Amino acid sequence: MTDEFERRHGFPLGANRVRLADRADQAAARTLAQAGIGPGDLVTFYDNIGDVTWADVGNGYFVDPAGDVLLRFKQYGAVDVGADKKAGGLVIGSNGGGLSYVASPGGVIYRTRTASLDEPEFDQVADDLRHFLELLERSLKRFVANGEPGCL
């Protein structure tokens, strides 16, 4: 992705990385697990991956660190998601356009339709975290291949 990025896009490459989890990330993941908030695969993810920052893939894709997810939950509570809007989800990331990604307790990943979480409307983007990460990977591959923004 970095080869000839500036020439192709007209601006310098920003932050694009997958950061491994450190002890603070793992402690936050354990807190999420102990509190029973968030799906189990999210806890496993955060025990290994600190965060994902792909600022230059399309508009950008970001999977927040577990500590940020936990802090947001403590400050604002869960986000009402699902068909009945009564399942409490966790905001786990965003795209560069300001839309948020929310993991439901059952593991389904939703994306907000607007940048606001005040009265959010959602679209399901993935059946579970694994599917969501596969879509992120496809977006990266597509961007590398032809500069198109991806599928999320």
Side-chain angles (χ1 to χ4, degrees):
M1 182 178 116
T2 60
D3 294 343
E4 300 186 29
F5 181 90
E6 189 168 356
R7 184 188 64 73
R8 288 172 97 190
H9 299 283
F11 55 92
L13 186 67
N16 297 281
R17 67 188 172 121
V18 176
R19 184 180 60 79
L20 295 178
D22 60 22
R23 289 187 179 167
D25 297 311
Q26 292 166 339
R30 281 191 300 280
T31 302
L32 287 171
Q34 290 167 350
I37 52 177
D41 58 354
L42 185 64
V43 173
T44 301
F45 173 81
Y46 280 132
D47 200 40
N48 295 282
I49 302 297
D51 65 82
V52 176
T53 301
W54 289 346
D56 295 314
V57 178
N59 287 336
Y61 295 109
F62 308 91
V63 179
D64 298 334
D68 290 359
V69 172
L70 188 58
L71 180 63
R72 189 179 301 114
F73 173 75
K74 287 178 179 178
Q75 290 178 335
Y76 304 106
V79 177
D80 294 332
V81 295
D84 58 5
K85 296 241 180 182
K86 295 190 188 228
L90 294 174
V91 177
I92 61 167
S94 61
N95 68 18
L99 304 182
S100 296
Y101 296 108
V102 178
S104 73
V108 174
I109 307 296
Y110 295 92
R111 181 187 56 224
T112 58
R113 290 184 184 163
T114 65
S116 172
L117 287 169
D118 291 335
E119 292 184 30
E121 293 183 18
F122 297 96
D123 292 313
Q124 181 177 333
V125 294
D127 297 331
D128 55 28
L129 185 63
R130 179 185 199 93
H131 183 210
F132 177 70
L133 295 172
E134 288 170 350
L135 292 172
L136 281 177
E137 179 183 31
R138 282 188 219 156
S139 295
L140 176 62
K141 287 180 178 178
R142 184 175 174 176
F143 185 77
V144 170
N146 57 25
E148 292 182 18
C151 52
L152 281 172

